[in-house]
Amino acid sequence: MQPLKEQITALLEALELNFEFDEENNLFRLNFETENAPVHVCISYDDERKLIINRSWISINLPKERKAAILYAINKLHDEWCTPAYLYLDEDDNELSSRCMIDVPEAGVDQEVFACFVDSTVGVLDKNFKDIMAVAYGTEFGNLGGTSEQKEVN
């Protein structure tokens, strides 16, 4: 099997995506402008475990006092859809992030699978941005903010 760094480089180039390789941290960096906010992407890999990891995030520090409501909203969103990417709330800076992984088969990663892998994290952040921001800043709750008792406690 071709080394993962070479595979990822070839796939990113084939998809005509602009990227930088961070030699110090051994990962690929990409940036996307979405409808709602810029999304930053880091793609790392582990040749030994045959694993590619996509961590994407939006550089907005969400209010820590709304953490419980935001996590409730994220759990509710996970219950509503099926996607290979999942939303997370970074513990250090309270940034909204998404992760996805690929277990690489011996034949390598298919370009279509890799395109979905990159798009899934960016898409899940963009698609749910407005709902999460509404919960984070208390402007509206819709179906994501939990019960009124939960809203007041947070």
Side-chain angles (χ1 to χ4, degrees), residues 23-131:
E23 295 286 344
E24 184 178 326
N25 295 303
N26 212 32
L27 52 83
F28 295 84
R29 295 185 185 278
L30 300 89
N31 292 296
F32 292 89
E33 286 295 325
T34 69
E35 183 179 328
N36 293 298
V39 176
H40 311 286
V41 177
C42 283
I43 298 175
S44 58
Y45 57 93
D46 184 332
D47 278 307
E48 230 175 78
R49 294 175 31 205
K50 299 178 187 169
L51 187 67
I52 303 174
I53 303 155
N54 174 347
R55 179 181 177 268
S56 301
W57 70 96
I58 297 173
S59 291
I60 297 174
N61 301 97
L62 300 174
K64 290 187 187 279
E65 64 274 8
R66 298 291 302 152
K67 190 173 205 161
I70 296 166
L71 290 172
Y72 179 86
I74 289 171
N75 284 340
K76 194 148 174 79
L77 287 167
H78 286 172
D79 286 344
E80 292 176 3
W81 37 257
C82 179
T83 179
Y86 288 91
L87 292 171
Y88 295 89
L89 196 57
D90 182 84
E91 286 186 42
D92 297 328
D93 352 356
N94 238 34
E95 289 180 328
L96 185 62
S97 65
S98 181
R99 291 188 197 126
C100 185
M101 291 186 256
I102 296 178
D103 287 319
V104 181
E106 281 301 317
V109 179
D110 177 78
Q111 184 174 328
E112 190 174 322
V113 170
F114 188 79
C116 289
F117 166 75
V118 173
D119 289 342
S120 65
T121 57
V122 174
V124 80
L125 286 166
D126 185 48
K127 178 181 178 199
N128 296 291
F129 179 80
K130 289 179 183 175
D131 289 332

